[in-house]
Every structure is written in C-alpha cells, then in structure tokens.
Amino acid sequence: MTRFFIFFLVVSACSAAPVEPAPNLRETKVEEVAPPKEIAPPVQPKSEPRAFRVAVVSDLNSSYGSLEYTPEVHETVRWLSEESRPDLVLSTGDMVAGMRRGLNYRAMWDSFLGNVVQPLDPIPFLPTPGNHDGAPNFAEEREEYLKTWTPRKPELNWVSDESWPTQYAFRFGGVLFISLDFSTVRWLDEEERVWLEDLLKDSERSVIFTHVPLHPIAAGRSREATRDRALEELLSRHPVTLIHGHHHAYFRHRHNGISTISMPCLGTGARKLKGQADAAENGVVILEFDDKEFADTLVAAPSFETRDLSTLPSTLDWEDSSIELYLGPLFCEARTC
C-alpha cells in the first residue's frame, strides 16, 4: 500500500507540470546580438579609387585675438555647405589669431568651431596647425589646439593617427592624405622622415598639406619657408602634391620635382606674389579626384568664380632660386613632368 501511494504522488506531480517539447536543433535560429555602442568599432569608409572632391581653405584668421571672421570666411562656409558640398575640407592652418601671449585662446577656438566647423558638419574637417594656432614656442596655444582637436577626429580610414591632430595620415578614395606639422620654420628630424618615407613608399597618389612652405612665393616672405633639403629630396622621389598656406597668395608650381599649390587666404592679410603690384585675391581651392585624374580649381571668394591660372606670373625669382608657374599634371613620377 505504501509503495502504491508513493508511486501515485510521483505520477501526479509529473502530470501537473507542463511538458515542453524537445527543441528541433535544425530549426533553431540564433539571434545575433549587436555589440554595445561604446565598444563598436568606428565605420571605416572604403578607400578604393573613386571620384570625390576636397575643398582646401587656409589662413582664415584676422587680427591678434580676434573672435570675428571676415565676410569671405562666412560666405565660403555657406557656399561649401550648401552648394559645393565636398567630401572633405582640409585646412592648411591659421584658423585662429594667436601667436601672442595672454589672449583668450579658448574663446578663439569656440568662435572658429561655431563659425566654421559646425556649419560644415557632417563634412569631415581636417586641420594642420599654423603659426597662429599652436606653434611649439607658444605652449599655452599649443595646448589649446590639442584640446580642441583631439576629441574631434573624424571617422576615416586612418593609416597613422598616433600624433593626431598635428601629424597624421589617412586614405580616402584611394589617395593618401598626410598632415605635416610646419607650424613654424623648422626641418623634419630623422624619425619624422622615416615615418614619412614609410607612408609614401607604397602610395601611388599622395597629398601632403602643411602650413609653412618649402620655398617662398610671397613678397617680403623670403625667410618664411623651411628650405628643408632632406625633406625636398625625399618628396622628389614620390608622386606627391604638396599644399601649403602661410604666404596668403595662390601659386601653382613644380620645384625640384615636387608639385606644389600655395594657398590664398580667406581671412585678412592677402599678400603679393613676388614681383607683382597687386595683392592676391581671397579664395578656396577645390581638388577633384577620380581613379586616374586629379584636377585643381582656384575659386575666388566671395564671388566663387573660377580663376584662369594662365594669368599668373610665369616665374617668381629669388636670390637663390627661381620658381616657375606649372600647369601640368600634379601626380607624376619625380622629374618626369
């Protein structure tokens, strides 16, 4: 009787519990769970050769400590954001008006972000420091430059970002872009040259953007150039286009095998090309790439009319060198163009 009662209790308990059918493993689907947003890897745009456009702006600042920007700057920002719509915007320096102690550096950068960078969003903005932004001998300005740009690194296909936002490299549309920190007149040291050579050795098309030029092009600025012979020799062995600011005048030339674009300014202080009577126009340069070609266009600001480069002087003569206007292809092997 006792055994029967125990058996009855076991059977009753089992009958009361719902019976789940055995899972069919062949039909079971495993749902993928997305990783948390805070650890998700950044989106990396493809860098295969394709058509794209880049706007280059330079020397947007006004007088020391100024928080205001010229109409040319405001109109260019509007034109880029609403009409031109490039894929990238590069700056060859002098975004704020520093290089003097005791200025309100934070307010200057807040003004630049509010007047230039934010209206251009979501177009990536890539800076390189100018002498008024954060030259090494102005430690407080340098620190503020780093504080401003370190958290603003765009999501790009980075090749070298350890020294962002001063010296860095990324690929876009099959082209290698490199920022070199010439915020003052100096030469690259050996470690920097090794870094640069390693970047360039396997690149078929590279654009280097910086502030202080290799060679002077503006009147009264003969000492405002690096004349870095080791860097010049390195660049002459690669298909490179060098773009620089600082001299506030446009000139397109090829010197010792290096294709170079000197940028006009957007802010105050347009200068004369060597030997010219009139100051250069304010403007912006538009670079257009496809899988084979590279075209550059000088656009005046604020009219945004394309300028005919053949009206530029054919030669700029200096005491120790001569620089000639060059209208040929910008990407070509050293000394073959």
Side-chain angles (χ1 to χ4, degrees):
M1 181 65 181
T2 302
R3 291 180 181 176
F4 174 78
F5 181 72
I6 294 173
F7 175 76
F8 174 78
L9 289 176
V10 171
V11 171
S12 299
C14 293
S15 300
V19 178
E20 296 288 344
N24 186 339
L25 297 180
R26 292 184 179 180
E27 297 180 356
T28 300
K29 296 182 180 179
V30 179
E31 295 185 0
E32 295 183 3
V33 179
K37 289 184 178 181
E38 61 270 19
I39 63 171
V43 176
Q44 298 292 342
K46 294 182 179 179
S47 62
E48 290 82 0
R50 65 178 181 87
F52 66 98
R53 302 171 75 240
V54 176
V56 188
V57 296
S58 190
D59 299 275
L60 301 92
N61 55 5
S62 295
S63 58
Y64 288 106
S66 176
L67 303 181
E68 304 296 329
Y69 287 89
T70 63
E72 288 85 354
V73 171
H74 290 294
E75 282 299 305
T76 298
V77 170
R78 183 206 59 77
W79 180 74
L80 290 173
S81 62
E82 297 178 7
E83 299 181 40
S84 179
R85 299 295 301 170
D87 295 275
L88 302 172
V89 175
L90 309 181
S91 169
T92 53
D94 279 3
M95 294 162 276
V96 299
M99 211 174 75
R100 181 170 289 180
R101 305 190 192 284
L103 301 175
N104 191 338
Y105 312 123
R106 183 66 267 150
M108 289 192 295
W109 280 113
D110 286 344
S111 178
F112 181 77
L113 295 174
N115 285 290
V116 179
V117 177
Q118 292 170 6
L120 288 172
D121 186 65
I123 303 171
F125 191 97
L126 287 308
T128 196
N131 55 299
H132 289 283
D133 300 322
N137 54 326
F138 288 85
E140 291 183 42
E141 293 184 12
R142 182 83 167 182
E143 182 180 358
E144 204 64 49
Y145 174 86
L146 296 175
K147 285 181 179 179
T148 299
W149 290 105
T150 297
R152 289 180 169 83
K153 186 174 68 173
E155 292 183 351
L156 295 170
N157 185 9
W158 293 98
V159 177
S160 176
D161 61 354
E162 297 83 0
S163 296
W164 162 270
T166 55
Q167 295 197 148
Y168 56 88
F170 64 94
R171 290 191 182 278
F172 195 94
V175 178
L176 178 66
F177 291 86
I178 303 171
S179 165
L180 289 184
D181 180 8
F182 280 114
S183 52
T184 188
V185 178
R186 71 180 188 98
W187 288 13
L188 291 187
D189 61 32
E190 183 177 359
E191 183 179 354
E192 291 171 306
R193 289 197 303 273
V194 170
W195 171 79
L196 181 59
E197 179 77 70
D198 189 56
L199 288 172
L200 294 175
K201 65 182 180 182
D202 296 322
S203 178
E204 295 181 358
R205 298 196 296 178
S206 303
V207 171
I208 295 176
F209 58 110
T210 187
H211 189 62
V212 176
L214 269 175
H215 299 282
I217 58 96
R221 296 288 163 170
S222 60
R223 295 184 180 181
E224 298 293 316
T226 69
R227 291 186 171 90
D228 186 339
R229 296 177 181 177
L231 173 60
E232 188 170 21
E233 192 279 328
L234 188 163
L235 297 182
S236 70
R237 294 186 273 107
H238 300 278
V240 165
T241 293
L242 176 65
I243 305 176
H244 71 82
H246 194 56
H247 278 214
H248 297 207
Y250 179 89
F251 197 68
R252 191 182 191 277
H253 58 284
R254 188 168 173 83
H255 189 73
N256 291 344
I258 304 167
S259 300
T260 304
I261 297 174
S262 176
M263 286 293 300
C265 70
L266 270 179
T268 59
R271 300 189 185 122
K272 302 175 184 178
L273 288 173
K274 183 78 161 65
Q276 298 300 293
D278 299 321
E281 283 186 289
N282 285 21
V284 58
V285 170
I286 302 296
L287 312 177
E288 298 184 80
F289 301 84
D290 62 24
D291 58 347
K292 294 181 180 179
E293 302 295 331
F294 167 31
D296 61 305
T297 304
L298 173 62
V299 181
S303 67
F304 305 112
E305 297 174 352
T306 300
R307 290 299 183 235
D308 182 1
L309 304 187
S310 65
T311 61
L312 294 169
S314 59
T315 304
L316 303 179
D317 292 318
W318 298 91
E319 296 81 0
D320 57 350
S321 65
S322 177
I323 298 177
E324 297 182 354
L325 177 68
Y326 175 75
L327 301 179
L330 288 170
F331 282 135
C332 53
E333 293 299 327
R335 308 184 192 282
T336 62
C337 297

